[in-house]
Amino acid sequence: MKQLAMAALVGLVVFSPEAAAQAQAADDEAHVRALMAQLETLKASYAQEVRRLRELDMQVQAMQARLNGRTATAAPAAAAPPPPATAPAYGEGYASSASEARAAKESARRSVDDVKQQQSALFNRRLTLENSLTYARYDRKQLTLNGFLALDAIFLGNIAIENVESDSLTYDFAARWGVDPKLTLNLDVPYIARKTIYQKGGAGGSAAAVAQEETHGAGIGDVTASANYRLFQEGRRRPETVLTLGVTAPTGREPYGLDWTVIERDDDDFIRFAVPAEQPTGNGLWQASIGLSAVKTADPAILFGNIGYVRSFKRSFDDIDSNPDTVNPGQVQLGDAYYFGAGVAFAFNERTSLSISFSDKLSARASTRYKGGQWVKVIGSDANAGTLNLGVTYALTPKATLVSMLGIGLTPDAPDFTLAFKVPYML
């Protein structure tokens, strides 16, 4: 009996209400810690999924913008958190709302717009002002033989080496006005400064003597007015296709009827070496052009190409003779010209793209006709100017872009190299 009483007493002590409460509290605390650990795990997983959703949202919208060639209205992501108080800076952050998604898509298509701006025009801009500066270097040497070949082996006469070195700097101001989503009007006004050095061997009858003369010229060049019309908007399989029509006015100083500086004459008063007193800044003729350009995005590459035709109209001048001692009025008509080119650009990010392209211009022979005479083809006036172009485009601000271009001449008729910088500002 005593043992049973002691057991009952111990049971009452162990299973008293206070002991049971303490045991329950300990169990609840352990359960809360487990729930908190599980909550933290779920929060971390949720944050990771949100980041993945934002990244996928930006990628999908950027690809849609490049494929469609335009900005589409983006719906807010269902799993995205509420938008922050301020939008992310230009080119930074993730899209977590409809407004940020549209901003991200605009940034992603910036490289595509820059390529289109250089190839044809942007039709979603009301006004674009472009300032450009281009330097071109031209150097050509040729051997001049004035005499005859005796016994098929001995040359009798004068042998001279002629060298022409030309440096030109062109500033061009262009204004492009978007009339509607399919039509853009353009005006290009160049200002040209040119320096040319003429060298000729055999001065004074001595093969070792070299005569040299330097001439300059500066002024407004030939002004061009043109219009771009979008035939087709870019789709999944077809490129954006633009038709361009242009007219060039002879506002620059023509190369005909210039004053000449005689450097050397023979004993019989024959002019051995003469150079123009001033360099021309235009070709002196009205010209009309028609061209077709295409741009197609193939992420991450942007493909582009163009082809065109230039027609020159004949014009009369008071003097078309290159002899400084004579004046012969007549007409001049430059040969028709055909140009084409193609290239590819790679968008590294929303601000920077690199392009490589090839361009070529084929010009037929020019014709002249003295007053009362017949049309005569000018031998050596035809040309084939092929150029390899390397360019880098960088978006300075959402409205301004810096375009740098290096052109390397591949044929004797092309400049040795050209270096151009353009800054289009889109309003």
Side-chain angles (χ1 to χ4, degrees), residues 216-236:
H216 301 80
I220 297 294
D222 293 341
V223 176
T224 300
S226 61
N228 299 320
Y229 183 79
R230 183 164 61 186
L231 298 177
F232 305 106
Q233 192 169 356
E234 183 177 0
R236 290 187 175 181

mmCIF file of all heavy atoms in Angstrom, residues 216-236:
data_model
loop_
_atom_site.group_PDB
_atom_site.id
_atom_site.type_symbol
_atom_site.label_atom_id
_atom_site.label_comp_id
_atom_site.label_asym_id
_atom_site.label_seq_id
_atom_site.Cartn_x
_atom_site.Cartn_y
_atom_site.Cartn_z
ATOM 1 N N HIS A 216 44.545 75.268 -102.509
ATOM 2 C CA HIS A 216 43.503 75.091 -101.498
ATOM 3 C C HIS A 216 42.151 75.487 -102.064
ATOM 4 O O HIS A 216 42.058 76.139 -103.111
ATOM 5 C CB HIS A 216 43.806 75.923 -100.249
ATOM 6 C CG HIS A 216 45.103 75.589 -99.594
ATOM 7 N ND1 HIS A 216 46.315 76.070 -100.058
ATOM 8 C CD2 HIS A 216 45.387 74.806 -98.515
ATOM 9 C CE1 HIS A 216 47.292 75.612 -99.288
ATOM 10 N NE2 HIS A 216 46.756 74.845 -98.342
ATOM 11 N N GLY A 217 41.125 75.104 -101.352
ATOM 12 C CA GLY A 217 39.763 75.486 -101.716
ATOM 13 C C GLY A 217 38.809 75.191 -100.577
ATOM 14 O O GLY A 217 38.944 74.176 -99.893
ATOM 15 N N ALA A 218 37.869 76.091 -100.333
ATOM 16 C CA ALA A 218 36.901 75.892 -99.252
ATOM 17 C C ALA A 218 35.607 76.586 -99.618
ATOM 18 O O ALA A 218 35.612 77.629 -100.287
ATOM 19 C CB ALA A 218 37.449 76.427 -97.921
ATOM 20 N N GLY A 219 34.492 75.993 -99.186
ATOM 21 C CA GLY A 219 33.195 76.592 -99.458
ATOM 22 C C GLY A 219 32.075 75.574 -99.345
ATOM 23 O O GLY A 219 32.287 74.387 -99.062
ATOM 24 N N ILE A 220 30.877 76.051 -99.570
ATOM 25 C CA ILE A 220 29.694 75.181 -99.550
ATOM 26 C C ILE A 220 29.780 74.168 -100.680
ATOM 27 O O ILE A 220 30.140 74.493 -101.815
ATOM 28 C CB ILE A 220 28.414 76.012 -99.682
ATOM 29 C CG1 ILE A 220 28.263 76.960 -98.492
ATOM 30 C CG2 ILE A 220 27.186 75.108 -99.780
ATOM 31 C CD1 ILE A 220 28.047 76.258 -97.170
ATOM 32 N N GLY A 221 29.439 72.920 -100.369
ATOM 33 C CA GLY A 221 29.417 71.885 -101.391
ATOM 34 C C GLY A 221 28.050 71.794 -102.046
ATOM 35 O O GLY A 221 27.216 72.695 -101.944
ATOM 36 N N ASP A 222 27.799 70.702 -102.722
ATOM 37 C CA ASP A 222 26.520 70.481 -103.396
ATOM 38 C C ASP A 222 25.468 70.047 -102.371
ATOM 39 O O ASP A 222 25.655 69.048 -101.657
ATOM 40 C CB ASP A 222 26.658 69.420 -104.482
ATOM 41 C CG ASP A 222 27.546 69.892 -105.634
ATOM 42 O OD1 ASP A 222 27.726 71.123 -105.750
ATOM 43 O OD2 ASP A 222 28.048 69.038 -106.385
ATOM 44 N N VAL A 223 24.365 70.771 -102.302
ATOM 45 C CA VAL A 223 23.297 70.520 -101.338
ATOM 46 C C VAL A 223 22.353 69.445 -101.892
ATOM 47 O O VAL A 223 21.998 69.462 -103.081
ATOM 48 C CB VAL A 223 22.529 71.815 -101.020
ATOM 49 C CG1 VAL A 223 21.351 71.533 -100.097
ATOM 50 C CG2 VAL A 223 23.471 72.834 -100.396
ATOM 51 N N THR A 224 21.944 68.516 -101.027
ATOM 52 C CA THR A 224 21.071 67.413 -101.429
ATOM 53 C C THR A 224 19.778 67.442 -100.629
ATOM 54 O O THR A 224 19.797 67.570 -99.400
ATOM 55 C CB THR A 224 21.776 66.061 -101.215
ATOM 56 O OG1 THR A 224 22.973 66.015 -101.989
ATOM 57 C CG2 THR A 224 20.871 64.913 -101.636
ATOM 58 N N ALA A 225 18.667 67.322 -101.331
ATOM 59 C CA ALA A 225 17.348 67.174 -100.714
ATOM 60 C C ALA A 225 16.805 65.800 -101.111
ATOM 61 O O ALA A 225 16.856 65.420 -102.284
ATOM 62 C CB ALA A 225 16.399 68.269 -101.156
ATOM 63 N N SER A 226 16.286 65.056 -100.143
ATOM 64 C CA SER A 226 15.832 63.698 -100.420
ATOM 65 C C SER A 226 14.625 63.363 -99.564
ATOM 66 O O SER A 226 14.279 64.082 -98.625
ATOM 67 C CB SER A 226 16.956 62.686 -100.181
ATOM 68 O OG SER A 226 17.374 62.726 -98.833
ATOM 69 N N ALA A 227 14.003 62.242 -99.908
ATOM 70 C CA ALA A 227 12.832 61.752 -99.178
ATOM 71 C C ALA A 227 12.948 60.240 -99.033
ATOM 72 O O ALA A 227 13.334 59.546 -99.983
ATOM 73 C CB ALA A 227 11.547 62.119 -99.896
ATOM 74 N N ASN A 228 12.632 59.734 -97.844
ATOM 75 C CA ASN A 228 12.608 58.301 -97.575
ATOM 76 C C ASN A 228 11.174 57.844 -97.385
ATOM 77 O O ASN A 228 10.427 58.460 -96.611
ATOM 78 C CB ASN A 228 13.412 57.975 -96.313
ATOM 79 C CG ASN A 228 14.863 58.353 -96.445
ATOM 80 O OD1 ASN A 228 15.469 58.167 -97.493
ATOM 81 N ND2 ASN A 228 15.435 58.903 -95.387
ATOM 82 N N TYR A 229 10.805 56.780 -98.087
ATOM 83 C CA TYR A 229 9.458 56.226 -97.964
ATOM 84 C C TYR A 229 9.574 54.753 -97.596
ATOM 85 O O TYR A 229 10.227 53.968 -98.302
ATOM 86 C CB TYR A 229 8.678 56.371 -99.265
ATOM 87 C CG TYR A 229 7.257 55.868 -99.163
ATOM 88 C CD1 TYR A 229 6.270 56.633 -98.559
ATOM 89 C CD2 TYR A 229 6.912 54.617 -99.676
ATOM 90 C CE1 TYR A 229 4.968 56.170 -98.455
ATOM 91 C CE2 TYR A 229 5.615 54.140 -99.578
ATOM 92 C CZ TYR A 229 4.646 54.929 -98.970
ATOM 93 O OH TYR A 229 3.357 54.452 -98.876
ATOM 94 N N ARG A 230 8.944 54.375 -96.483
ATOM 95 C CA ARG A 230 9.000 52.991 -96.030
ATOM 96 C C ARG A 230 8.001 52.144 -96.801
ATOM 97 O O ARG A 230 6.787 52.303 -96.651
ATOM 98 C CB ARG A 230 8.737 52.901 -94.530
ATOM 99 C CG ARG A 230 8.865 51.483 -93.986
ATOM 100 C CD ARG A 230 8.985 51.456 -92.479
ATOM 101 N NE ARG A 230 7.808 52.032 -91.824
ATOM 102 C CZ ARG A 230 7.724 52.234 -90.512
ATOM 103 N NH1 ARG A 230 8.746 51.928 -89.746
ATOM 104 N NH2 ARG A 230 6.634 52.754 -89.987
ATOM 105 N N LEU A 231 8.532 51.238 -97.600
ATOM 106 C CA LEU A 231 7.676 50.347 -98.388
ATOM 107 C C LEU A 231 7.120 49.216 -97.531
ATOM 108 O O LEU A 231 5.930 48.905 -97.597
ATOM 109 C CB LEU A 231 8.468 49.773 -99.567
ATOM 110 C CG LEU A 231 8.999 50.783 -100.587
ATOM 111 C CD1 LEU A 231 9.833 50.076 -101.647
ATOM 112 C CD2 LEU A 231 7.849 51.546 -101.233
ATOM 113 N N PHE A 232 7.989 48.588 -96.735
ATOM 114 C CA PHE A 232 7.578 47.450 -95.918
ATOM 115 C C PHE A 232 8.177 47.601 -94.529
ATOM 116 O O PHE A 232 9.343 47.975 -94.393
ATOM 117 C CB PHE A 232 8.027 46.121 -96.526
ATOM 118 C CG PHE A 232 7.571 45.904 -97.936
ATOM 119 C CD1 PHE A 232 8.473 46.013 -98.984
ATOM 120 C CD2 PHE A 232 6.243 45.615 -98.218
ATOM 121 C CE1 PHE A 232 8.065 45.829 -100.286
ATOM 122 C CE2 PHE A 232 5.830 45.433 -99.519
ATOM 123 C CZ PHE A 232 6.731 45.540 -100.558
ATOM 124 N N GLN A 233 7.366 47.311 -93.537
ATOM 125 C CA GLN A 233 7.860 47.273 -92.169
ATOM 126 C C GLN A 233 8.450 45.899 -91.880
ATOM 127 O O GLN A 233 8.038 44.903 -92.479
ATOM 128 C CB GLN A 233 6.740 47.592 -91.186
ATOM 129 C CG GLN A 233 7.210 47.858 -89.770
ATOM 130 C CD GLN A 233 6.095 48.420 -88.914
ATOM 131 O OE1 GLN A 233 4.999 48.665 -89.401
ATOM 132 N NE2 GLN A 233 6.372 48.626 -87.643
ATOM 133 N N GLU A 234 9.411 45.849 -91.001
ATOM 134 C CA GLU A 234 10.075 44.583 -90.719
ATOM 135 C C GLU A 234 9.112 43.574 -90.104
ATOM 136 O O GLU A 234 8.327 43.898 -89.211
ATOM 137 C CB GLU A 234 11.254 44.813 -89.768
ATOM 138 C CG GLU A 234 12.037 43.546 -89.475
ATOM 139 C CD GLU A 234 13.229 43.795 -88.588
ATOM 140 O OE1 GLU A 234 13.443 44.955 -88.194
ATOM 141 O OE2 GLU A 234 13.946 42.819 -88.276
ATOM 142 N N GLY A 235 9.169 42.360 -90.621
ATOM 143 C CA GLY A 235 8.371 41.265 -90.102
ATOM 144 C C GLY A 235 9.253 40.098 -89.726
ATOM 145 O O GLY A 235 10.474 40.215 -89.616
ATOM 146 N N ARG A 236 8.643 38.955 -89.540
ATOM 147 C CA ARG A 236 9.417 37.792 -89.138
ATOM 148 C C ARG A 236 10.372 37.338 -90.226
ATOM 149 O O ARG A 236 11.474 36.884 -89.931
ATOM 150 C CB ARG A 236 8.470 36.640 -88.771
ATOM 151 C CG ARG A 236 7.685 36.868 -87.485
ATOM 152 C CD ARG A 236 6.912 35.615 -87.102
ATOM 153 N NE ARG A 236 6.245 35.789 -85.809
ATOM 154 C CZ ARG A 236 5.518 34.856 -85.226
ATOM 155 N NH1 ARG A 236 5.368 33.671 -85.817
ATOM 156 N NH2 ARG A 236 4.949 35.095 -84.052
#
